[in-house]
Amino acid sequence: MFTGPQIAELLEQLGVTHVVTVPDSTIGPWQAAIEQRERTRLVRVCREGEAWEVAAGLHLGGASPLVMIQCTGLFESGDAIRNVLHDWKLPVFAIIGYRSYLNQDTLPGDTCLVFTEPVLDAWKIDYHILTKPEQFGSIAEHFSACRAASTPGAIIVAEGGA
Amino acid sequence: MPEKDALVAIHGARGPRDVVITTMCAARDWMTLPQQPLDLVFVPSAMGHATSVGLGLALAQPDRRVIVCNGDGSMLMNLGSLVSIAGAGARNLVVALFDNGVYEVTGSQPTPAPGCVDFAAIARGAGFESVFEFSHLESWQTNVHRTLTCPGPTFIWLRVEPAVGVPGPRSPGPAGERARRFRDALRS
Ligand SMILES: Cc1ncc(C[n+]2csc(CCOP(=O)(O)OP(=O)(O)O)c2C)c(N)n1
């Protein structure tokens, strides 16, 4: 839906210093463009729970991190999200790929469609779902609103298959 | 060696600009020692993630040394973080592992393979630059300064004896406020 250069340029403009990530087939290809930016560094981690806590350390250290993962990784991240967003009250922002959202007819059995939104609600994450390329501007809008309010938030990017 | 004595050695050797993150029993014992604004007592925690918080801090503050005092159960829960640390090239990060072979905080149940895990081999295999192992207090006390100042990332495997019947750590205050104070301390 979005290209790597589009995302990389936007994140740099928004002042994101580190993108902490585990890839999927939609957000993974953005890595190359992010790595080319001078002011945004890519940090690769082994599992998504780590990503939130690395972002917590970055935030405590004065940086402006962003977590970039798939919704499967959101499921993996529960205890870290609880700790970072709710215990320590750190305003970490995330971009999360919503697997199979755009393929509901061909992939009706993907349980990501069943659990992603309830899990986001359970963790009290203020999220916007983007389903069309024309909604690109919403990323900056929601990110900036969350930053101004010093609250966590997420952009959920609708994806095709796994 | 007794776990508290092993921790006291780090308390004595840490530099004034160093960040020290403690979790589990190391956090409990650290709170009995004189505190500094750059101490991050990681209670409440998400178990296993002290090393990940340490990585973030080390990347955000490359001119400071970040020392993470971790439990062996916690380390086992997030072994991949050692790979992330080495991959990110966090040369200013030290992981000090307090290996007592048990989940002491929950009543000293054994970890899955106590005494069988070669943490030094795991750290080396993950790509840590400097790896040390200490079982005797005197040797640790003699070498603590040298090991903390080696090129990192550094992994120090401390084989310690659990304390018996001592309760686990309690949070020293609201975490959100402590986060703000800690952030401010890093800026000044
Ligand atoms: C994800 C998760 N699983 C289980 C627990 C329960 N728990 C709290 S402390 C602890 C033991 C920690 O062991 P270790 O890291 O070895 O530190 P020690 O207590 O020995 O200092 C456990 C299992 C938890 N807090 N979080």
Side-chain angles (χ1 to χ4, degrees), chain A residues 79, chain B residues 24-25 47 71-74 77 100 102-106:
Chain A
D79 198 39
Chain B
M24 302 300 170
C25 289
M47 182 176 166
D72 54 324
S74 300
M77 207 175 260
N100 56 15
V102 294
Y103 298 115
E104 189 179 320
V105 164
T106 53

Side-chain angles (χ1 to χ4, degrees), chain A residues 3-14 16 30-37 40 136:
Chain A
T3 67
Q6 240 184 327
I7 293 286
E9 188 181 348
L10 175 68
L11 296 182
E12 197 173 70
Q13 276 168 7
L14 292 172
V16 172
W30 300 345
Q31 287 190 5
I34 295 169
E35 277 192 300
Q36 279 169 18
R37 306 308 300 194
T40 307
F136 183 70

Side-chain angles (χ1 to χ4, degrees), chain A residues 133-158:
Chain A
E134 304 84 74
Q135 292 172 301
F136 183 70
S138 300
I139 303 176
E141 261 169 47
H142 189 41
F143 179 94
S144 303
C146 289
R147 177 177 278 177
S150 224
T151 53
I155 285 290
I156 313 301
V157 179

Side-chain angles (χ1 to χ4, degrees), chain A residues 18 41 43-47 49-51 53-64 79-80 82-83 87-90, chain B residues 40-47 49 52-53 55-57 59-61 77-78 80-81 83-84 88 175-176 178-179 183 186:
Chain A
H18 298 78
R41 177 172 171 186
V43 182
R44 295 185 170 93
V45 291
C46 301
R47 53 178 275 229
E50 266 187 82
E53 298 280 357
V54 170
L58 283 160
H59 180 82
L60 288 168
S64 295
D79 198 39
R82 178 195 60 72
N83 180 242
D87 287 345
W88 289 89
K89 305 196 187 313
L90 301 178
Chain B
L40 184 69
V41 172
F42 189 43
V43 183
S45 69
M47 182 176 166
H49 286 297
S52 302
V53 176
L55 171 57
L57 273 162
L59 293 176
Q61 296 276 326
M77 207 175 260
N78 197 3
S81 67
V83 176
S84 306
R178 286 162 54 215
R183 220 166 170 243
L186 277 173

Side-chain angles (χ1 to χ4, degrees), chain A residues 68-83:
Chain A
M68 199 168 78
I69 56 176
Q70 193 183 54
C71 59
T72 47
L74 170 76
F75 308 145
E76 193 285 320
S77 298
D79 198 39
I81 291 178
R82 178 195 60 72
N83 180 242

Side-chain angles (χ1 to χ4, degrees), chain B residues 102-164:
Chain B
V102 294
Y103 298 115
E104 189 179 320
V105 164
T106 53
S108 292
Q109 302 83 3
T111 50
C116 300
V117 182
D118 185 343
F119 283 106
I122 289 173
R124 243 179 246 116
F128 270 58
E129 181 77 23
S130 301
V131 178
F132 303 95
E133 179 183 345
F134 296 96
S135 305
H136 301 291
L137 183 60
E138 265 179 33
S139 162
W140 168 230
Q141 286 168 329
T142 309
N143 287 289
V144 58
H145 191 264
R146 180 176 69 81
T147 57
L148 290 181
T149 51
C150 271
T154 299
F155 188 89
I156 309 170
W157 181 15
L158 301 167
R159 291 156 166 269
V160 297
E161 293 130 27
V164 181

